[in-house]
Amino acid sequence: MDAGTSDSIQHVADVLVSCHYVVCLTGAGMSVESGIRPFRGPNGIWTEYGEPPLDDYRRFVTDPVGYWKGLLHPVGYYRELYAALEGAEPHQGYVALTELERVGVLKYIITQNIDGLHRKAGSSNVAEIHGSYLMCRCVSCGERFRREEVDVSSLPPRCFSCGGVIKSDVVVFGEPIPEDVARTCVDQADLADCMLLVGTSAYVYPAASFPRQVSAGGGTLVEIGPHPTEITEMCDVVVRGTAAEVLPQLADAVASRMDY
Ligand SMILES: [Zn+2]
């Protein structure tokens, strides 16, 4: 695709309906319209405050109590980020994805976002590749707990099942992507004959590998976003616009093509 071209929503709806297994990959651009600043880019929270240390995970392992104190009493960008996450509500683009799931067109969402908004909107099949800030996870057995279930009266909190140390489910620098999520993402990208890229430039690995995996398997890549990205050239179909603008129109166009 040329960077400046935009296909019609009707065309994308035809593509989605003709495919058998559509997977959606969402990134920071999806959350921006819900009031969450991206980490990177001109308005990025890390651009303003600086990137977190690359050895964040090692810091957690060597000092889990210090990590938890930081989590419970956030300062700097964490304070701003967590306030934004607490106040965020899913916009109409999220609702549209639940609609695409309900009619059976969208099979799975892989998101790079940690804000939990896809689940909050009501999507069922969601892989949160960088975790969810609403959840905590045992680093020994991988079991997840809702944040409010975790007893933080004694730090670090311990797993109810195995006694291992619990951290936030949010994946930090230097931390491996949890195996279960990583496996789900690879399996879903393998099944997909179409990937919808929404609000992501897909240049951060491992997310960057999924559209490439779909494309290499002969699948169709559809990009939805306001600006050209690193992945635009690889896409078969492109719609310029924001998620909250485009996805509701797309869900309507798909619904009008479905038999009930
Ligand atoms: Zn455990």
Side-chain angles (χ1 to χ4, degrees):
M1 280 300 299
D2 293 335
T5 313
S6 185
D7 290 295
S8 76
I9 284 167
Q10 299 303 324
H11 177 57
V12 183
D14 287 335
V15 169
L16 295 192
V17 170
S18 70
C19 289
H20 298 288
Y21 203 99
V22 180
V23 171
C24 183
L25 175 67
T26 67
M30 184 80 194
S31 302
V32 166
E33 289 165 286
S34 282
I36 299 170
R37 286 171 64 183
F39 291 112
R40 297 179 166 88
N43 188 39
I45 201 161
W46 288 344
T47 311
E48 181 183 341
Y49 289 94
E51 287 207 6
L54 291 171
D55 63 346
D56 243 6
Y57 189 62
R58 193 184 56 79
R59 288 174 184 229
F60 156 75
V61 171
T62 53
D63 180 18
V65 174
Y67 162 89
W68 269 97
K69 284 181 177 164
L71 206 58
L72 295 171
H73 306 286
V75 294
Y77 92 83
Y78 282 107
R79 195 207 304 253
E80 182 185 329
L81 174 64
Y82 278 83
L85 292 172
E86 294 293 342
E89 290 295 330
H91 57 65
Q92 287 305 309
Y94 289 93
V95 178
L97 291 183
T98 68
E99 197 54 29
L100 288 172
E101 184 181 65
R102 194 182 65 77
V103 299
V105 168
L106 178 62
K107 306 295 190 203
Y108 227 94
I109 296 171
I110 299 173
T111 185
Q112 298 166 271
N113 302 335
I114 60 162
D115 46 50
L117 288 176
H118 286 296
R119 291 188 197 278
K120 201 169 179 181
S123 291
S124 304
N125 296 324
V126 183
E128 294 163 313
I129 192 160
H130 295 143
S132 165
Y133 94 107
L134 294 169
M135 306 296 286
C136 288
R137 171 167 42 82
C138 170
V139 292
S140 298
C141 74
E143 189 165 342
R144 289 178 181 78
F145 309 94
R146 293 198 62 80
R147 203 180 41 174
E148 61 271 18
E149 288 172 357
V150 173
D151 179 5
V152 291
S153 57
S154 157
L155 298 179
R158 297 277 172 177
C159 176
F160 304 131
S161 302
C162 78
V165 175
I166 289 175
K167 70 178 284 295
S168 166
D169 186 39
V170 174
V171 175
V172 295
F173 276 132
E175 179 179 6
I177 304 293
E179 265 179 46
D180 53 351
V181 175
R183 198 178 316 115
T184 299
C185 293
V186 171
D187 289 349
Q188 290 302 318
D190 204 31
L191 285 167
D193 61 353
C194 175
M195 185 167 270
L196 202 55
L197 307 162
V198 184
T200 178
S201 51
Y203 74 90
V204 180
Y205 279 85
S209 63
F210 306 134
R212 286 162 180 82
Q213 190 183 338
V214 172
S215 187
T220 305
L221 295 183
V222 179
E223 178 176 63
I224 295 172
H227 310 294
T229 68
E230 288 83 347
I231 197 117
T232 299
E233 255 182 48
M234 198 188 283
C235 291
D236 306 286
V237 184
V238 172
V239 179
R240 290 280 160 249
T242 69
E245 290 164 0
V246 174
L247 290 176
Q249 297 176 53
L250 183 58
D252 285 349
V254 167
S256 73
R257 287 162 170 75
M258 305 294 288
D259 295 322
Y260 290 104

